[in-house]
Amino acid sequence: MNREGLGAPALVAPLSALPETFTGNRALDLEEGLIFEIGRAEVCGVDLPMPEGRPERLGGLRRAEAPDLPGLSEPEAMRHYVRLSRMNYGIDSGLFPLGSCTMKHNPRLNEKMARLAGFADLHPLQPVSTVQGALELMRQLSRQLLALTGMAAVALPPKAGAHGELTGMMAIKAAHRAHGRNRTVVLVPESAHGTNPATAALIGYEVRALPARPDGTVDVETVRAALSPDVAALMLTNPNTCGLFERDIVEIAAAVHAAGAYFYCDGANFNAILGKVRVADLGVDAMHINLHKTFSTPHGGGGPGAGPVVLSPALAPFAPVPALLEQDGALTLVETEGAPGAEQALGRMSAFHGQMGMFVRALAWMLSHGADGMRQASEDAVLAANYVRASLMDLLSAPFAERPAMHEALFDDSWLAGTGITTLDVAKALIDEGYHPMTVYFPLVVHGAMLIEPTESESKASLDLFIGALRDLAMAAKAGDMARFLGAPHYAPRRRLDETRAARAPMLRWVRPPSQAAE
């Protein structure tokens, strides 16, 4: 698409037709090899002499030959990793439309607060008398989460959403055990996050799937038909992974409770209802909250994360340790199950007390916004998702078009029928437009799914440019411009992988080529 109207000169020729450079670089699009490929085995950035007069302490553990490590000078090593960082796409680079992942802007104020010495330099084994400020922050965060959800108790130790999920389900199992009930089945809708059935299976439950009805939600009659004296819990995501609010959720919760089971709600999409709905009023017994999603701090790459769990009065006694407790005007941590204040605790879910950096970031975001600001954040997230959806409905196909979306817009691949182009091709072509692709092929209940979550932190201008890119791709696909899609991305540092081969036969370590090994 020519963007001369925006003041940018048009390309006079495609990149494939331009002459190659000597270095392999294309201006600031730098060609970067592996650190082993650019390093030299005979070079060492630090060369320390062997100390004299020191006894040999390695004994038989001394290596027979030097490790095959790359040798670089300090500037070379620094430049290598800086160049790699420039290839990474993050929320600071541009709009990050991953559906169901809530990659929102992370205010720098959060980072400034998390780096304050009183929080950043803490050690988890410090005496509690020296960390009263940190414990007070944890108490304030707990109060905020309880006010937002209306629940009775919160457990802060879980380190991520799936870890919080595990905590909530273990609390449910502990509650059944305490009441002498041996229930073996957990119901999980097909539209749930994949971690839901995995968590239930991990702690020994049989998982039974519930189908979604044609409008993408769960029918209360389907739940009633599946309930039995063996059912321990229902795990339901709300809003669900199709981006829809479960309109029968109160009736579903009542049916679950009438059968003597508990209702676990996956809170990964809490940012769509934050400040608008108290989950306790929906009949929820346990829900994890991704601090690293709902309350800013984009996640990924394994962390950092935090997944506190809020619990109903029925499950509150089974919250894990450590737990905050006030004694004689000071805060302390109950570290052992069975101790006063944790008589029925399910045990310990992590070695220490949670992720302090995430606690600080989340509370900073909460206090910056206030109650009205957090409510507006949810409203803006829903507005942005519906704006994207409405702007693409004439070209793309939406499976549940009769209902407004919540926090994310879901499309299927029926609009690509007859083009020879797939969802994956569209996602890869979006990279050429300068965007990280949306979530693809998930949720599984929608064929060829494309799931887009713009979040509340994107401006209308950035949404319009993203929408324009998708509209242009859609028109190109329908016009038969196969070259634009097959083999894309064309302009990224690396072309498309054979993803099947990469998954089945991954190359996880570098092997020196024979030509170099012989030198």
Side-chain angles (χ1 to χ4, degrees), residues 155-157 320-324 333-336 347-354:
L156 295 179
V321 293
L324 274 173
L333 287 164
V334 180
E335 298 276 7
T336 308
R348 179 180 285 271
M349 293 302 298
S350 59
F352 298 114
H353 320 119

Side-chain angles (χ1 to χ4, degrees), residues 203-471:
I203 58 175
Y205 283 115
E206 175 191 342
V207 177
R208 291 182 188 166
L210 297 179
R213 54 189 168 192
D215 69 355
T217 62
V218 176
D219 187 351
V220 64
E221 296 304 326
T222 300
V223 175
R224 287 196 179 104
L227 289 168
S228 71
D230 293 332
V231 174
L234 167 73
M235 300 183 77
L236 182 73
T237 304
N238 189 50
N240 68 27
T241 313
C242 298
L244 303 172
F245 191 89
E246 293 285 351
R247 64 174 184 267
D248 294 336
I249 189 169
V250 174
E251 291 181 75
I252 289 171
V256 169
H257 292 151
Y262 294 101
F263 176 18
Y264 184 91
C265 184
D266 186 311
N269 300 330
F270 186 48
N271 67 302
I273 58 175
L274 175 67
K276 302 289 289 185
V277 176
R278 297 196 318 168
V279 295
D281 299 336
L282 304 178
V284 172
D285 290 298
M287 185 182 82
H288 76 268
I289 300 173
N290 292 330
L291 296 186
H292 54 276
K293 293 174 63 173
T294 299
F295 303 103
S296 75
T297 313
H299 62 298
V309 178
V310 288
L311 301 168
S312 68
L315 296 183
F318 306 99
V321 293
L324 274 173
L325 185 67
E326 185 171 357
Q327 292 179 333
D328 302 324
L331 292 169
T332 189
L333 287 164
V334 180
E335 298 276 7
T336 308
E337 59 268 31
E343 291 83 358
Q344 292 181 281
L346 63 86
R348 179 180 285 271
M349 293 302 298
S350 59
F352 298 114
H353 320 119
Q355 224 285 20
M356 178 54 67
M358 299 306 300
F359 296 164
V360 177
R361 291 176 176 91
L363 186 62
W365 192 87
M366 292 173 175
L367 296 178
S368 297
H369 284 72
D372 55 343
M374 287 190 279
R375 186 184 308 111
Q376 183 181 342
S378 291
E379 293 170 347
D380 289 351
V382 174
L383 177 63
N386 281 280
Y387 179 62
V388 169
R389 187 168 177 261
S391 299
L392 295 170
M393 286 279 284
D394 60 324
L395 291 174
L396 276 63
S397 46
F400 310 114
E402 69 281 358
R403 294 195 59 194
M406 292 296 291
H407 57 300
E408 53 197 357
L410 177 61
F411 301 96
D412 60 25
D413 63 353
S414 60
W415 66 278
L416 289 169
T419 65
I421 295 167
T422 67
T423 290
L424 184 64
D425 295 328
V426 174
K428 297 299 184 181
L430 194 58
I431 295 174
D432 282 336
E433 297 294 335
Y435 292 104
H436 190 289
M438 71 290 279
T439 294
V440 295
Y441 300 115
F442 180 77
L444 301 179
V445 295
V446 171
H447 193 273
M450 301 177 215
L451 191 60
I452 300 169
E453 182 172 4
T455 79
E456 81 284 353
S457 52
E458 294 299 334
S459 68
K460 183 176 181 296
S462 66
L463 291 178
D464 285 338
L465 186 58
F466 174 73
I467 291 166
L470 273 176
R471 290 186 64 84

